Amino acid sequence: MKLHHTATALLFLPLLLSCNNKDELSGDVVSGYSPLLLSAEAPSPFSRSYIPQGMYDNFKVFAVSETGGTQTVVMNGYDVKFQNDEWSYVTDTQRLMYWNSNADRYLFTAGAPSDAVTAISATSVTLHLENNLSGSVMACEPLAIANGSPNFGKTVNLRFAYAHCMVCVAFLNTSSADVNVSDIMLTPNASISSEANMTYAYDWSMTTVTTTQQLTTTATSKASLLYDDVTVPANTTDAILSSTRYYCVPDASNTKDWTVTLNRNGEQKTATFENSKTWESGKNYIYIFSLTEKSPKLVKVLTKDSFFDCNDIIPGGEFSDTDMTE
């Protein structure tokens, strides 16, 4: 399964100066050992793969070291938080950890935010998803670091991907007058998944590590997706988006028959359309309707492989709609 739109959290795990198979050492200062430090930053100036504060200022991580086929737990579902301008996991119950220089490799799994992670182990992560307007939970791409590789004992770069899909609406207007569109609703003809658990299972035996995804629906709903009002100028050739963005549960059994209802310059309009798209994690589906006809008409569903493209996200910082394009 391909994961889309990465976001990055960096875990600094300095290599032990001398380690005699000691995976766990506690205390603020341990003579002869380098502590595990945490930070977050972009991998390059050209990447927008951050974890913004607020939506993704915390995550849960599970890590094991593997020696001769035997695994030793290093981080047993540790909660990692961005606070005081740095990433930190050390608490009364989460000890400072160190590299084991004798390990063959390390395996990492993670999910964000922490409270969305319902289960985590060395081989899988289960995330709880609900349809919402605020954002998506995230799953970490599988990461194995072998002893002798350039990344062993250095910065561990965990890359995340969105678990939700996004559903938006936009409008075209080729008539000679502006159109005010309000009371916009998309309604399925039957219930769809509104809440679910998504499990990412990691196959570490492959040369290129792969993930499999399993979705278990826990609640369904026929509730309409409600969108903000929008004014569509006359002779519009580019679709005008409503500002509303729904983060929805990916659903392979999504009903095809839907209804679009809206108010066009004060007049109620309704039309049915076929939703031929199967929603997938990390993708943005923009349903584009024409307002020129007597009733709204679906003319295109634009599928984008990432939710958004922001120029103003900073490491561990907040994001806004400024300079955002769909």
Side-chain angles (χ1 to χ4, degrees):
M1 185 201 75
K2 183 178 179 182
L3 298 176
H4 299 278
H5 192 79
T6 58
T8 302
L10 306 182
L11 285 80
F12 288 102
L13 293 104
L15 184 63
L16 284 174
L17 299 182
S18 61
C19 179
N20 297 318
N21 291 319
K22 294 179 181 177
D23 289 310
E24 299 180 353
L25 292 173
S26 60
D28 294 333
V29 178
V30 179
S31 178
Y33 295 88
S34 297
L36 186 159
L37 304 176
L38 298 175
S39 182
E41 62 185 43
S44 76
F46 304 104
S47 173
R48 302 189 179 99
S49 301
Y50 304 102
I51 295 185
Q53 185 178 15
M55 191 187 300
Y56 310 119
D57 61 0
N58 62 89
F59 61 91
K60 190 179 290 287
V61 63
F62 196 99
V64 298
S65 64
E66 194 172 77
T67 307
T70 300
Q71 293 185 347
T72 301
V73 176
V74 178
M75 292 182 173
N76 188 10
Y78 273 25
D79 289 315
V80 185
K81 298 180 180 180
F82 186 79
Q83 51 192 7
N84 300 323
D85 295 327
E86 64 180 3
W87 292 100
S88 176
Y89 63 81
V90 177
T91 66
D92 292 340
T93 57
Q94 296 182 169
R95 295 184 294 175
L96 196 61
M97 305 306 299
Y98 300 83
W99 282 92
N100 175 2
S101 60
N102 295 319
D104 296 327
R105 64 174 181 171
Y106 278 76
L107 308 178
F108 297 89
T109 60
S114 294
D115 60 7
V117 180
T118 61
I120 188 168
S121 69
T123 57
S124 68
V125 172
T126 300
L127 305 171
H128 183 75
L129 286 73
E130 295 185 46
N131 291 353
N132 71 91
L133 293 170
S134 60
S136 174
V137 301
M138 304 173 74
C140 179
E141 296 180 2
L143 178 62
I145 301 179
N147 197 332
S149 73
N151 294 324
F152 192 87
K154 297 181 181 178
T155 299
V156 175
N157 187 355
L158 294 178
R159 293 186 176 273
F160 292 83
Y162 295 112
H164 284 80
C165 65
M166 186 187 287
V167 179
C168 303
V169 295
F171 300 94
L172 294 170
N173 174 28
T174 58
S175 66
S176 59
D178 295 354
V179 175
N180 296 317
V181 188
S182 60
D183 302 329
I184 305 164
M185 296 187 297
L186 298 185
T187 307
N189 73 331
S191 295
I192 61 173
S193 293
S194 57
E195 185 175 352
N197 292 320
M198 181 174 287
T199 299
Y200 294 85
Y202 298 161
D203 188 349
W204 301 99
S205 65
M206 304 291 289
T207 303
T208 301
V209 180
T210 60
T211 62
T212 57
Q213 174 185 307
Q214 180 179 351
L215 186 69
T216 303
T217 298
T218 58
T220 58
S221 173
K222 197 180 175 181
S224 300
L225 305 183
L226 310 177
Y227 292 87
D228 288 344
D229 301 351
V230 62
T231 297
V232 187
N235 300 312
T236 301
T237 57
D238 294 327
I240 305 300
L241 277 163
S242 168
S243 60
T244 306
R245 301 175 177 88
Y246 275 93
Y247 296 81
C248 293
V249 175
D251 191 354
S253 60
N254 187 13
T255 175
K256 289 187 176 181
D257 297 321
W258 285 63
T259 299
V260 55
T261 305
L262 54 83
N263 191 305
R264 185 184 188 276
N265 287 337
E267 185 178 356
Q268 189 80 3
K269 299 290 183 179
T270 301
T272 59
F273 66 93
E274 182 177 345
N275 182 12
S276 59
K277 295 291 184 180
T278 298
W279 294 345
E280 299 179 54
S281 294
K283 290 191 175 182
N284 180 9
Y285 299 92
I286 305 174
Y287 290 78
I288 303 175
F289 295 92
S290 171
L291 299 172
T292 304
E293 292 82 0
K294 200 168 185 181
S295 297
K297 180 182 179 181
L298 180 68
V299 294
K300 184 178 183 179
V301 181
L302 181 63
T303 303
K304 306 193 74 175
D305 285 340
S306 61
F307 284 172
F308 43 70
D309 186 2
C310 294
N311 292 323
D312 59 337
I313 298 177
I314 59 174
E318 298 178 351
F319 73 92
S320 69
D321 289 343
T322 306
D323 297 326
M324 179 181 288
T325 57
E326 291 289 348

